[in-house]
Amino acid sequence: MAVKSNNFALYVLMFNMFIAMAGIGLIIPIMPEYLGTFGVAGQALGFLVAMFSFSQFIFSPIAGDLSDKHGRKKLIIIGLIIFGLSQLAFGTSTQLWMLYASRFFSGLGSAFLIPPMMAFVADITTYEQRGRGMGLLGASMSLGFMIGPAIGGFLAKVSLQFPFYIATAAALTAAVISIFALPNPAPRSADNPGIEKKRENLVMQMKRSTTTPYFVMLIVMFVFSFGLANFQSTISLYVDHKYGYTPAQIAVIITVGGFVGVIAQTFVINKLFNRFGEMRVIQVNLIIAAFAMIGIVFVNSFFMILFVATIFFTATSLLRPAVNTLISKLAGEEQGFAAGMMTAYMSLGNMVGPALAGILFDINIIYPYIIGTVILLVCFVIASYWAKRNGDLLTGL
């Protein structure tokens, strides 16, 4: 009975993650045209994404800490409500500052969603099942991000604001479902008197993260998130400026890549973990993502761009659950803290990546891909060195 209950909880978490990511993804293909109504372009898009990630960075460690103390369910429901209302605010904004404010609250809502959901998965899965649980949660994330742009491109035919209304309705619906359907198991750390209970501020938590055995993996999360956000925030502008692609064509590029990533996360990733281990999956996909990123500037037909983008999205879709699973296995009882730190470092990458990419894009549209490739390769070197130095630790997992 407990297994069935845990599986049901996992499915509800997957649905919530899907809704949140679909809400983020559906605005991507319409952003160039939507921002055009405000008279702005690449730099503004980069800073809008950075604003979301800045808020997520500030509040994710707090959310992870609160979920360790008060349970995951409350935080998830609050996050869905805030996220939904912020989407409505974005779609009804009439001035640029309102867009930035609404994206800040979107980041807040996301911060109250992602760390508690990752910690929730750790609470309801065994050590051996952790990879499967994180993989399925990652698959729902990729699926939402995949379907979102397709929905957004279609709904934009009604009006540019209409996709935001749908995102609001979906998030609030998920909140209502979670109130009645999501269980609320006590975090494992709640029964462990050895876990530090003193509330720490963001600076203290970031400082403590440097002493954890998974600190280098947090750096990997930051760097690959930087590269992924770099690519995601500029690909729509890149193909719009260089080839004049429509929102529908942009949606296809993102959707197909996401679809292949979902398949890999659902059916392949656990087998890869069992055969090669999380660390090897991380190393290989860092290399693949780096070469796919630079490859986008050397292709010019729609189908070749689609092919290279699909390789990139698939590699990054395997990276996230691999890093999440490895950190979760090393985190012990502090799953909320670890999940908060994962999201914080991911948010840092998502914040710096688009902001820098937007500035570079306005200088030369290929610069974001060159810089992103270099950073991913540096990340590979760091991860490989850490793996070599910590072989005994990784072998014991």
Side-chain angles (χ1 to χ4, degrees):
M1 183 68 70
V3 174
K4 290 183 178 179
S5 176
N6 289 343
N7 284 337
F8 178 74
L10 180 59
Y11 296 147
V12 176
L13 293 174
M14 291 170 63
F15 175 75
N16 289 342
M17 184 66 83
F18 169 81
I19 291 297
M21 291 302 106
I24 295 173
L26 65 80
I27 71 173
I28 290 177
I30 65 175
M31 284 302 282
E33 188 174 351
Y34 187 66
L35 290 178
T37 64
F38 292 85
V40 293
Q43 185 171 326
L45 176 58
F47 281 114
L48 280 171
V49 177
M51 179 62 74
F52 176 96
S53 300
F54 175 69
S55 176
Q56 195 178 52
F57 166 69
I58 293 174
F59 293 107
S60 288
I62 298 173
D65 180 52
L66 289 174
S67 75
D68 272 342
K69 292 176 173 62
H70 305 294
R72 324 297 187 195
K73 181 175 179 176
K74 292 179 182 178
L75 274 294
I76 292 171
I77 293 170
I78 292 171
L80 285 167
I81 293 172
I82 294 174
F83 181 80
L85 295 178
S86 69
Q87 293 289 82
L88 178 63
F90 194 91
T92 56
S93 294
T94 56
Q95 298 183 45
L96 189 59
W97 71 265
M98 297 172 68
L99 296 181
Y100 286 113
S102 61
R103 290 303 286 173
F104 181 86
F105 281 99
S106 289
L108 170 61
S110 177
F112 275 64
L113 276 173
I114 297 177
M117 284 197 282
M118 288 193 297
F120 205 130
V121 170
D123 291 338
I124 63 176
T125 57
T126 64
Y127 187 84
E128 294 75 18
Q129 295 173 329
R130 191 72 48 79
R132 173 181 175 272
M134 290 294 183
L136 289 175
L137 193 67
S140 65
M141 178 183 291
S142 297
L143 183 64
F145 203 79
M146 172 196 77
I147 293 179
I151 297 174
F154 176 76
L155 295 178
K157 295 179 180 179
V158 178
S159 75
L160 288 177
Q161 290 75 28
F162 190 60
F164 300 101
Y165 303 152
I166 297 300
T168 299
L172 296 181
T173 299
V176 172
I177 292 174
S178 296
I179 291 173
F180 296 103
L182 192 65
N184 192 30
R188 291 174 180 173
S189 57
D191 299 323
N192 191 332
I195 299 298
E196 183 180 1
K197 297 297 182 181
K198 182 181 178 181
R199 185 178 300 278
E200 298 174 315
N201 61 38
L202 176 61
V203 174
M204 292 173 64
Q205 289 193 339
M206 294 296 290
K207 183 177 179 180
R208 179 152 71 98
S209 73
T210 65
T211 66
T212 62
Y214 49 82
F215 173 62
V216 170
M217 286 297 100
L218 293 174
I219 297 299
V220 172
M221 175 66 79
F222 163 74
V223 174
F224 108 75
S225 297
F226 176 100
L228 177 60
N230 185 329
F231 188 92
Q232 288 176 330
S233 64
T234 58
I235 187 64
S236 60
L237 290 172
Y238 178 80
V239 296
D240 174 65
H241 280 57
K242 190 170 183 178
Y243 304 109
Y245 285 2
T246 65
Q249 288 175 304
I250 296 170
V252 168
I253 291 172
I254 298 172
T255 301
V256 172
F259 178 72
V260 176
V262 168
I263 293 175
Q265 287 177 319
T266 305
F267 301 106
V268 178
I269 195 164
N270 205 43
K271 296 178 181 177
L272 292 177
F273 288 169
N274 291 335
R275 182 169 181 178
F276 302 107
E278 293 87 359
M279 193 65 237
R280 184 56 58 86
V281 172
I282 292 169
Q283 291 172 300
V284 170
N285 284 286
L286 280 171
I287 289 291
I288 293 174
F291 283 100
M293 174 168 276
I294 195 63
I296 205 74
V297 305
F298 293 104
V299 293
N300 50 33
S301 71
F302 176 80
F303 289 104
M304 284 304 299
I305 291 173
L306 175 63
F307 175 72
V308 174
T310 297
I311 293 175
F312 179 84
F313 284 126
T314 302
T316 53
S317 72
L318 293 174
L319 272 168
R320 181 178 283 109
V323 175
N324 288 345
T325 301
L326 188 56
I327 292 176
S328 180
K329 286 183 175 181
L330 293 169
E333 298 297 328
E334 291 189 305
Q335 294 296 327
F337 174 78
M341 285 295 101
M342 280 189 279
T343 307
Y345 278 82
M346 178 184 70
S347 301
L348 274 177
N350 290 343
M351 179 171 57
V352 177
L356 179 61
I359 294 171
L360 293 172
F361 184 90
D362 286 342
I363 298 172
N364 189 305
I365 63 175
I366 70 170
Y367 283 178
Y369 304 100
I370 296 173
I371 298 299
T373 299
V374 172
I375 290 175
L376 286 171
L377 291 175
V378 170
C379 183
F380 167 78
V381 173
I382 294 173
S384 298
Y385 178 75
W386 180 83
K388 185 177 181 179
R389 290 286 301 271
N390 294 272
D392 293 340
L393 177 65
L394 295 174
T395 301
L397 294 179

